[in-house]
Every structure is written in C-alpha cells, then in structure tokens.
Amino acid sequence: AELSLSVMSKTRSLLSKMAALRRLRQCHSAGSAVSHLHTSSHVCAKQHYKMLVLGGGSGGITMSARMKRIFGAENVAVVEPSEMHYYQPIWTLVGAGAKTAASSGRPTASVMPSGVQWVKSKVQEINPDTNTVRTDDGTEISYEYLIVALGIQLHYEKIKGLPEGFGHPKIGSNYSIQTVEKTWKALQDFKEGNAIFTFPNTPVKCAGAPQKIMYLSDAFLRKTGKRAKANVIYNTSLPVLFGIKKYADSLWEIVKHRDLQVNLRQNLIEVRADKQEAVFENLDNPGETKVFEYEMLHVTPPMGPNLVIKASPLADEAGWLDLKKETLQHTKYPNVFGIGDCTNLPTARTAAAVAAQSAVLNRTISKILKKEKPDKTYDGYTSCPLVTSYNTVILAEFDYNGQPLETFPINQAKERRLMYHLKADVMPHLYWHGLLRGLWGGPGPYRKLLHLGMK
C-alpha cells in the first residue's frame, strides 16, 4: 500500500528499509552463489532478473520451465502468492463426483522449476516504462524481459446475493476450489424440481464448462432414477449454445434428445439462496426479469481482466493484456510477452490454448534474443473437450476464425468414449508431467500427442 503521511507509516517505512538493507548485506556476504532450492522473496531474493514471470498458473509455470532452459534458473523468477497449484479443467468432473478435489491440486513448490526463484507475493503494480514490478509487501523487482500470465478474475460479487449465498445448500460452482464440491453435494441431494445452470454475460475461461456440468448432472439424475422429477435448465447469456457451429449442431441434438431446456440471452443477476430463487434478466429486453425457483443451482461467475493489468499501461481498452495475436509479444513494449487467460487473444481461454501458445511464445522469445524476427505464429488453436456424460466427450478444436482444427481422422463432433478417456485420464498426466515441465505443447497439443503415439 502507498505510504501515508502519518508517523506510524513513516516508522514502518523506515523499519522496512532497514530490514531490506540487512537482507542486502546478508546476500552480499553470501557471495554470488545461487541456491538450487525454491526460495521465497524473503530469503536473499535477487531484485533483478533477466526473465520475470508474473503468475504461477498453467501459463506461468510452463513458461518459467521453458525460460529456465534459455536464461538459466538463477536468472528467472516467478511471482505467485498461492501455496497450491490446481489443474482446473478437472473441476468439471469433481463437480459431478467423477474425480476428487484433492486430485486436482499439488503444492506450488512441487511444480515450480528447480532453481527458479519463487517470489511468494502478489503482484501489486506493473511499470513497463521502468521495467519494474512492485509486490504487495513493497518489494520492487526489475527485469529485462517480462512474461505476464496472471489469469482471469472471477467476480461472484457482481451477482447480488453472492458469494455469501454459497453458505446455503443447493448451490455450487465448478469455477472455484472453495465451491466445486458444493456442486457435487447439491447434485447428490437433489430430489425434485429445477436444476439450473448458468453462463454469464462476460468472457469466461473454458466456455464449454458451464454446460458440461449440465450434461453430467442429467446423466447422474438418470442413473439415480430422479430424472423424471427434474427440469434441467441451461440459462445462458449467449445467443448460441456454442460458438462453433459444427459442435453446436451436435449439442443441440443432445439437448433435444435428453429433454434439456435451453434459454438463450438469460443472464443471472441475483441469487436469493435462502428462498432458493435465481433472478435472470432478458438481455434482449433489458430490465425484464424472471425468477426461477431451484432445487439445484450451478453458477458460472462473471469474469474480467486482472485488475493489476487493467491499471497498467499494458492493458487494452477493455483491460486485457494487449498482445500481437501471432507472436504473443506486447503491442507497445517489445520486452513484454503474455500467455493464457489474461490476454486479449481472440480465442477461447483453455489449458489447451496455453499449451499451443507456450511453444509459439518460446520461439518468439528465442528469436528476439538473437535479434531476429519471430518466425512462428499462433493461429488461435484452442480445444474444449465437451463432456456430455460420464463416459463420452465431443472434442472441439478450432482456431481464431472459429474453424475446426481437428487432430483425429474421425468426426470429432460425435460423442466418443475414447475422448472421455483422453480428457479424464490422459490429459491430467500430460499436464503435470509434460506441460508444466515445458516438455509438451505446441500448435495442436492433441495432434502432438497422436504423433508421439504413432512413433
């Protein structure tokens, strides 16, 4: 926080500077040796790095592993406050009882590349004009190159009655580790009435996830003999069921066959959890609202750009990290790059997109270091494994233009057991042991997987 003019603040500032001086002396006396263990910002942390990575999520850890090989571990640092790292794509299955929440997470220390400096703080301010970043404990870190991977911000509070509504039963959300198990509890406790699933009027990460849990819930209710007493309802702010027509056509067939109710252009604006009521606004007729009673409610929260990026010169007009969509280099600051959900790349925000982007970004940075022009371009590849039951998936893969960019020599718009196995069992393994180690990924990561399997 900024220093106030009060005596107490000045005293804290003086003590902080004295402590920093002591640390600097300790580090100086220790010589230039660099530990190969993960260390926090409070233990002789360097204040300057050749490559600074902001964010320890999928994109941040992946790129720090790759940057370690280019710059050397001692020259790379990652700023990330969280003690736990989660494989979030599996939360769809956690919310449906097919996986455990515990299986989705590992300590951040276990995925941080060895020798890379872990600055265990939150980014407070980015100053690309001075090549510096300030953390929430007041530490200033300078860099030669910067990768921004700060993800997307969830805004449950933008729905009236949330997040406090999660204290009541019957309501959950697969988008947070704190609420994903509440989805499974609500599904198990379902007796009869409306099971409602929502999609907000904002960009979201994994745009298929809000309806995946609907299909899984439908399957669970059928399996437990409760489906006849259930109205399964999908209220989405979008004018379409899914943005890519080839896959949307197949999903509409599933909706029709399973008697699922889809209401387009309906945006959740309030949850009355004590009454088990959800209020939706008709986006085609603003001001017009409708109240739905629910026996189960799955909320996909409104989302938006990271607030630190939004407040910095790195943001576009909407607050997203402003990148060249082909190379992932910043449009104004040539030593700044980005990856993942925090960017304004016009494609769906998924872990598969991060895998594809990581190879392009690695090549871009390698070329720039050699003072050469980047020669590898990102075509917007992303993937959304649309889970339609406990053993089937439609594997959607597409590019910037919304054109299918498929891996397998089959019609991927059909529900397939093989694709479910890929989603539930193969991809988590490749995530932990391949992507996060910078060993796997590229334009069409499934395509690379298929290629490796044929060798």
Side-chain angles (χ1 to χ4, degrees):
E2 294 183 2
L3 292 175
S4 71
L5 296 178
S6 69
V7 174
M8 186 176 293
S9 293
K10 288 182 178 180
T11 302
R12 281 200 300 266
S13 175
L14 180 60
L15 290 173
S16 177
K17 289 177 181 177
M18 290 173 64
L21 182 60
R22 283 197 300 271
R23 288 198 299 270
L24 184 61
R25 286 171 176 167
Q26 290 169 357
C27 289
H28 180 72
S29 65
S32 58
V34 178
S35 170
H36 290 276
L37 299 175
H38 304 308
T39 54
S40 77
S41 60
H42 305 293
V43 185
C44 297
K46 287 176 59 179
Q47 300 302 299
H48 176 81
Y49 295 91
K50 289 185 178 179
M51 174 57 76
L52 183 62
V53 180
L54 305 184
S58 303
I61 295 297
T62 297
M63 289 313 301
S64 63
R66 288 177 176 269
M67 293 301 97
K68 172 184 172 180
R69 293 197 284 271
I70 293 177
F71 291 96
E74 69 277 10
N75 296 309
V76 179
V78 182
V79 183
E80 171 56 51
S82 303
E83 294 280 357
M84 290 293 291
H85 179 103
Y86 292 99
Y87 177 57
Q88 297 181 29
I90 211 71
W91 286 347
T92 286
L93 299 180
V94 174
K99 296 285 184 178
T100 65
S103 71
S104 72
R106 296 187 181 182
T108 300
S110 71
V111 299
M112 193 70 65
S114 62
V116 166
Q117 181 79 13
W118 176 16
V119 181
K120 203 179 298 182
S121 300
K122 187 176 182 180
V123 178
Q124 192 76 24
E125 185 179 357
I126 307 171
N127 299 298
D129 292 311
T130 58
N131 293 333
T132 59
V133 167
R134 186 165 57 85
T135 64
D136 59 355
D137 63 0
T139 301
E140 186 173 88
I141 308 170
S142 60
Y143 59 83
E144 291 181 32
Y145 298 93
L146 180 71
I147 294 176
V148 184
L150 288 172
I152 196 169
Q153 204 126 1
L154 306 183
H155 291 293
Y156 288 103
E157 78 283 355
K158 291 190 176 182
I159 300 171
K160 187 178 179 180
L162 294 183
E164 61 271 19
F166 288 114
H168 293 261
K170 314 289 187 181
I171 175 174
S173 175
N174 290 353
Y175 276 88
S176 167
I177 190 62
Q178 286 78 30
T179 57
V180 63
E181 290 177 300
K182 293 180 183 293
T183 304
W184 174 227
K185 183 70 165 60
L187 183 54
Q188 288 177 296
D189 292 345
F190 186 94
K191 294 180 175 61
E192 61 179 310
N194 294 334
I196 302 175
F197 306 85
T198 74
F199 190 110
N201 190 31
T202 66
V204 301
K205 55 182 173 181
C206 194
Q211 61 183 288
K212 296 177 193 179
I213 186 59
M214 171 183 66
Y215 301 125
L216 285 163
S217 297
D218 170 71
F220 179 81
L221 294 174
R222 291 179 187 278
K223 184 172 63 174
T224 54
K226 300 176 183 178
R227 184 61 178 90
K229 294 184 178 182
N231 302 310
V232 180
I233 302 169
Y234 183 57
N235 283 354
T236 173
S237 67
L238 299 176
V240 294
L241 182 57
F242 192 72
I244 313 302
K245 186 179 184 303
K246 176 177 181 178
Y247 308 113
D249 289 346
S250 295
L251 293 171
W252 276 117
E253 287 299 318
I254 293 171
V255 164
K256 182 179 178 180
H257 178 69
R258 300 185 192 174
D259 192 26
L260 308 174
Q261 182 180 334
V262 175
N263 299 314
L264 304 176
R265 303 293 287 158
Q266 297 295 313
N267 183 43
L268 179 66
I269 60 172
E270 182 180 357
V271 175
R272 302 166 183 166
D274 55 336
K275 299 178 181 178
Q276 291 178 215
E277 293 178 347
V279 184
F280 291 84
E281 181 180 19
N282 182 353
L283 295 178
D284 288 332
N285 190 13
E288 178 187 310
T289 61
K290 184 175 181 179
V291 179
F292 288 76
E293 294 182 352
Y294 64 82
E295 171 70 3
M296 173 187 178
L297 176 64
H298 176 269
V299 177
T300 301
M303 303 181 203
N306 181 281
L307 299 181
V308 174
I309 296 173
K310 190 174 183 177
S312 79
L314 297 177
D316 66 8
E317 291 182 357
W320 304 99
L321 185 69
D322 195 11
L323 298 183
K324 298 175 183 178
K325 69 176 188 177
E326 295 86 8
T327 63
L328 283 70
Q329 185 179 26
H330 196 270
T331 56
K332 297 177 183 176
Y333 298 91
N335 64 331
V336 177
F337 310 87
I339 188 171
D341 297 348
C342 68
T343 71
N344 64 354
L345 301 175
T347 193
R349 295 169 169 86
T350 69
V354 166
Q357 292 164 18
S358 66
V360 175
L361 182 52
N362 188 72
R363 179 73 172 182
T364 293
I365 293 172
S366 297
K367 283 290 186 180
I368 286 173
L369 289 174
K370 297 175 183 176
K371 301 190 183 308
E372 298 175 4
K373 186 176 180 180
D375 60 353
K376 197 178 185 77
T377 60
Y378 176 52
D379 57 8
Y381 172 88
T382 191
S383 173
C384 183
L386 294 154
V387 184
T388 54
S389 76
Y390 284 90
N391 57 16
T392 56
V393 160
I394 288 174
L395 182 58
E397 295 179 283
F398 47 96
D399 61 14
Y400 276 139
N401 299 317
Q403 296 301 310
L405 198 63
E406 297 182 343
T407 296
F408 300 90
I410 53 177
N411 180 11
Q412 290 182 198
K414 289 186 63 176
E415 295 177 274
R416 297 185 187 276
R417 289 175 179 266
L418 172 63
M419 300 307 178
Y420 180 88
H421 176 63
L422 191 67
K423 157 76 176 176
D425 304 315
V426 177
M427 297 313 296
H429 181 80
L430 286 173
Y431 179 84
W432 295 115
H433 303 288
L435 182 63
L436 294 188
R437 296 182 181 181
L439 301 174
W440 179 72
Y446 293 103
R447 192 174 301 117
K448 186 170 183 180
L449 171 63
L450 183 63
H451 175 67
L452 290 173
M454 289 178 172
K455 281 189 173 181

